[in-house]
Amino acid sequence: MTADDGPAGVPPLHLPRRARRLLCVSFLLLVGAIVADLVTGPGTTLSPILAVAPVLAGATTRTARVPLIAGAIAALAVGLLESTNTDLPTEVHVTALITVLAATFASAANVVLVAARERELFQVRTVAEAAQRALLRPPPERIGRLRVAVRYVAAAAEARIGGDLYAVVETRFGVRILFGDVQGHGLPAVETAADVLGVFREAARTEPALTRLAERLDAALTARSEDGRFATALLLDVPPDPGAVTIVNCGHPNPLLRRAGRVSDLEPPLPAPPLGLLGLTGGGYPASRFEPRHGDLLLLHTDGVSEARDAEGRFYPLAERLPGLPAGNPADLLDALLADVDGWVGPAGPADDAALLALRWEQ
């Protein structure tokens, strides 16, 4: 019930298990109808039901020749039943044959139309994936003493890109990290994320103070006065040599530090607004610092993780579940975390995009 080969540019068709079962039941009923027609005698016929054969075949493929072949076999079966049901008028058999042919051509046309739409959607997804790779460039797995891993998961299966953003840049000041979430969804959020990432990648290499870097990002978003979008963000400055890590939190969920099996919430010294809203407070962005130790793991996340809900509406307890996840490779931890969130949310799936970035300090 899968089509491995289809028209160029159309991904293989994968039918859910329930759909395969329903199609199998339909085919069995069709075979049963033919057998019943053969044993009921020459005075009755069920041949018009053969018109469903090309329709069922069309549901299992993205190639028009499959329902055409099924329709040809069904037309031959109509001829076979005509030879056994000799007491019926010719008009009955002709009607059955016309019904089969009409269903065959309609099913073939539907397969062509669906394949064309899926080809177009597949191309759009491919472009979106390329855009995401250009916008959210995967960081190296290891930078000096740091092991780095990132994951991005869209809430909708059709999506490949959204407003969550991250960037890891090596500079003369150390490793600088931007991690954030743009308000809203869709193309406008992606455009805003692209603007923020572009400014960050340029300013991270030239701006000595992390707080000043945050202010430049805020100014860039404020300049987009036509949409008024804002973005929550975390900025990190990891020095090249052992030393304190600087964090500027711009209204984003606090990073979580796992140390020796315990998880702590790295709160900023003072609350600060998201990027694009600093002008409303008239203040600045405060910085906080912490001294990393060997084996420490720092987790940055968007609210698509911390606000994931189960069937009863309870938020995912990220800080409580984090200690029980794998402690070695950050990539393994993020994979286990996403699997745990999926189990918490259940079949409904996540309600928002989710991004994760993990840093682990090693020798």
Side-chain angles (χ1 to χ4, degrees), residues 142-169:
R142 183 144 191 162
I143 307 175
R145 300 180 301 126
L146 280 180
R147 294 189 70 177
V148 185
V150 296
R151 294 292 185 271
Y152 176 84
V153 179
E158 298 81 5
R160 292 295 187 273
I161 193 168
D164 291 354
L165 56 92
Y166 56 81
V168 180
V169 179

Side-chain angles (χ1 to χ4, degrees), residues 316-335:
Y316 177 74
L318 178 57
E320 298 176 13
R321 312 277 278 212
L322 186 58
L325 299 177
N329 190 337
D332 295 338
L333 179 141
L334 295 188
D335 290 336

Side-chain angles (χ1 to χ4, degrees), residues 113-169:
L113 179 61
V114 171
R117 290 177 176 174
E118 289 193 351
R119 184 185 299 109
E120 180 180 359
L121 179 59
F122 182 72
Q123 291 171 348
V124 170
R125 290 177 178 176
T126 302
V127 172
E129 288 177 345
Q132 185 188 45
R133 287 193 296 270
L135 188 63
L136 303 178
R137 303 167 191 170
E141 294 182 2
R142 183 144 191 162
I143 307 175
R145 300 180 301 126
L146 280 180
R147 294 189 70 177
V148 185
V150 296
R151 294 292 185 271
Y152 176 84
V153 179
E158 298 81 5
R160 292 295 187 273
I161 193 168
D164 291 354
L165 56 92
Y166 56 81
V168 180
V169 179

Side-chain angles (χ1 to χ4, degrees), residues 26-99:
S26 300
F27 278 117
L28 291 176
L29 291 175
L30 181 60
V31 172
I34 296 174
V35 173
D37 195 308
L38 292 173
V39 300
T40 53
T44 60
T45 184
L46 297 175
S47 59
I49 201 173
L50 289 169
V52 305
V55 177
L56 294 176
T60 67
T61 184
R62 288 297 174 260
T63 305
R65 66 173 178 269
V66 174
L68 291 174
I69 294 173
I73 296 174
L76 292 175
V78 170
L80 173 64
L81 294 179
E82 180 184 4
S83 64
T84 60
N85 298 317
T86 54
D87 291 350
L88 294 174
T90 304
E91 291 83 355
V92 173
H93 301 296
V94 172
T95 300
L97 180 60
I98 293 175
T99 303

